[in-house]
Each structure stands twice: as C-alpha cells, then as structure tokens.
C-alpha cells in the first residue's frame, strides 16, 4: 500500500513539474504576442486586478485565511512584491522594450546558478557535487538553446537591465520564502501576492495613465490567458514545488523553461529552431536529471540513516523524528 502511495506521489510531482515548466514559459510568450500594440502596464493591471478580487472572494468563502496573523500577512506581502510584482513588471517591460522572448528567458535561466551559490551562506543548505554538475550542464544547454536569439530584439542596451532586475527580484523572493518560518497555504499565498501586486500596479497605472483597456477581444483573451497560466498555475506550482521537492530541484526545473520557450516561440512566433538548439535541449534535460537524481539519493540516504546503535539488543519502537527538510503540506 505504501509503495502504491509512493508511486502516486511521484507521478503527481512529475506531472506538476511538467505543468510548471509549460505554464512558466507562457509568461514569456503571451506578453511577446499581446504587447505588440498594447502598453505592457495596461495588460499587467488587468491581468492582476480582477484576479485579486476573485482570489479574495474564494479565500473568504473557503476560510483559507482564517487565523492568519499580521506577521504572516506582512511576510507574504514582501515576498509577493518581489517575486510577483517586481518580477512580472520587469519581464513585461523588457519584452515591451523589444528584447526577444528567448533572450529574456536566458537571463532568467541564470537564476538556478545564482540560487546554488546563495543557498549555502543564506539558507545553510549544502549543494553537493552531483547537483553542481547538473546545474552546470543545464546552464550550458540554456546557452545553446537561446544562442540564435541574441540580437533579434530592437531594445537599447540599457533595457537589458530589466530582465536582470526581474531575476534579482525572484531570487530574493524565493530565498525569503524558503528561509521564513511562515507557511501559509498555496491559495492564501497566491491571494496575498496577487493582491499586493494588483494594488501596486493600479497605483502606477493611475499615475501613468495606463488604466483604460482597449476594447478588442484579443486583449481580453490575453488577460484571461495570463491570469490563468503564468499567474494562477505557474506561481501556484512554483510555491507548491518549492515545499515539495526543495529549492535546488525546483531551480533545476527552470532550466527547462528556456527550451520550452524556444519550441513555443518557433511554433507561434517563427523564432529559429536549429540543430544547436536541439543539442541544448539534450543538455538541459541531462542537467535536470542529474540534479533530481542527486536530490533523490540524498533524501534516500537521510531516510536510511535510522539504524540501531551498535551494542543494543532488540530494536526499540521508532519514535517520530523531527524532519526539518521535508516540505510542509499546504
């Protein structure tokens, strides 16, 4: 019975990981299509404001926010302002400035390496040799995947600071979320993050005159798509997987976003897909596999280290031990 539960759990995790990669990559593609003749800020305002009202209503009806303390609200508000508002605003501004979607994905894909450098001093976690090797292989794959897309955009050099800012915001938000003892459920987490983002966007949109949406059906289709996929699905899965598989494995999955973006860009936007790109896909997959295998072995070794000390006779009844590395349930 426990074996069947383990198989179902692993299948759920793999499915969630695949959905995360696809929905996260949509966050680069939809803006590239939808902001060709629309102010990116206008799309962002209408992506988040109605969704915030919907999530607040669902949270109130479901009771997901019952018992929430002020400190929990404050911590999640800070994380949301970084990982959602800061990240999305910078990505949309970068795409709107003319930077190719694959180039934005490349800069974003540096995040796993930056996280790998910081998890030791910031979180006190050890990144082992197999994980470092996997991250390096994945990074090489990402470079190959988006190599042909450099120079496709028409953005000025200073605009490339925007995806870098998005990267920094998401990294800081992720580290704060991983370090804090606050553990709100995914629904409540999303509600706070989306609401904070909506408020900030409404203020900026009002000051810049970007609140009035166009009446075209294509705009409202883009609003729905960005609300459902990059926001609800991608961010919900991001925080859920962060607790379930850990920060290193989650960052490894981000290496697959660039290949997914490249394939979708080739199909939807006519971006190049060359043999070099295909070679990059292989390296990305190998890198992610190396990290996940190393992570699984480490967890297995930790779980197996419960033997009875030498010199003792009959083993005692096992008592529940404190497990500080296992993800909390939402």
């Amino acid at each position: 019975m426990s074996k069947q539960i383990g198989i179902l759990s692993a299948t759920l995790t793999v499915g969630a990981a695949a959905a995360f990669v696809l929905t996260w990559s949509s966050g680069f593609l939809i803006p590239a299509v939808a902001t060709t003749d629309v102010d990116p800020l206008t799309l962002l305002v209408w992506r988040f404001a109605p969704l915030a009202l919907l999530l607040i209503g669902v949270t109130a009806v479901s009771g997901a926010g019952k018992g929430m303390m002020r400190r929990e609200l404050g911590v999640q508000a800070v994380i949301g302002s970084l990982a959602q508002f800061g990240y999305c605003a910078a990505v949309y501004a970068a795409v709107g400035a003319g930077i190719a979607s694959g180039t934005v994905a490349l800069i974003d894909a540096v995040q796993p390496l930056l996280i790998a450098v910081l998890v030791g001093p910031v979180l006190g976690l050890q990144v082992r040799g197999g994980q470092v090797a996997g991250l390096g292989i994945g990074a090489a794959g990402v470079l190959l995947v988006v190599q042909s897309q450099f120079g496709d955009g028409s953005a000025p050099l200073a605009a490339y600071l925007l995806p870098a800012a998005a990267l920094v915001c998401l990294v800081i938000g992720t580290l704060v979320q991983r370090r804090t003892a606050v553990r709100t459920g995914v629904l409540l987490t999303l509600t706070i993050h989306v609401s904070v983002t909506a408020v900030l966007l409404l203020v900026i949109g009002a000051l810049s005159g970007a609140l009035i949406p166009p009446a075209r059906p294509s705009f409202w289709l883009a609003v729905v798509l960005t609300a459902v996929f990059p926001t609800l699905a991608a961010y919900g899965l991001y925080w859920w997987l962060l607790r379930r598989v850990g920060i290193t494995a989650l960052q490894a999955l981000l290496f697959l976003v660039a290949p997914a973006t490249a394939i979708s860009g080739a199909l939807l936007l006519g971006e190049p897909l060359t043999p070099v790109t295909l070679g990059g896909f292989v390296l990305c997959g190998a890198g992610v596999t190396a990290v996940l295998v190393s992570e699984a072995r480490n967890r297995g070794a930790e779980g197996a280290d419960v033997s009875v000390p030498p010199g003792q006779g009959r083993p005692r009844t096992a008592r529940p031990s404190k497990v500080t590395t296992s993800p909390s349930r939402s």
Side-chain angles (χ1 to χ4, degrees), residues 51-142:
L51 183 60
L53 295 176
L54 175 63
L55 286 174
I56 290 172
V58 172
T59 300
V61 171
S62 65
K66 186 177 181 180
M68 178 182 62
M69 294 184 294
R70 182 178 300 179
R71 177 176 177 272
E72 294 175 334
L73 175 62
V75 170
Q76 291 297 351
V78 170
I79 295 172
S81 65
L82 289 167
Q84 197 150 88
F85 168 75
Y87 179 80
C88 291
V91 166
Y92 272 58
V95 173
I99 302 178
S101 61
T103 304
V104 179
L106 169 65
I107 298 175
D108 184 67
V110 177
Q111 180 188 345
L113 296 179
L114 188 56
I115 289 286
V117 172
L118 295 176
V119 289
V122 176
L123 300 180
L125 301 177
Q126 181 181 1
V127 181
R128 294 170 173 83
Q131 295 171 326
V132 173
L135 291 171
I137 294 170
V142 168

Side-chain angles (χ1 to χ4, degrees), residues 200-302:
L200 293 173
L201 288 171
L202 284 169
V203 172
I204 297 174
L207 293 176
S208 60
L211 292 182
I212 301 177
R216 296 189 303 274
S218 58
F219 172 81
W220 295 107
L221 176 61
V223 166
V224 173
L225 291 177
T226 53
V228 172
F229 293 106
T231 308
L232 285 179
Y235 271 96
L237 288 168
Y238 186 88
W239 300 123
W240 186 80
L241 285 167
L242 178 63
R243 299 177 184 180
R244 189 172 184 87
V245 302
I247 191 169
T248 304
L250 176 59
Q251 299 309 305
L253 289 175
L254 285 174
F255 280 133
L256 297 180
V257 171
T261 304
I263 293 175
S264 301
L267 296 174
L268 300 176
L269 305 176
E271 294 177 344
L273 188 62
T274 66
V276 174
T277 304
L278 298 177
F281 293 168
V282 175
L283 288 178
C284 285
V288 172
T289 300
V291 172
L292 296 180
V293 168
S294 177
E295 185 79 9
R297 286 177 178 174
N298 293 336
R299 292 193 175 193
E302 291 172 359

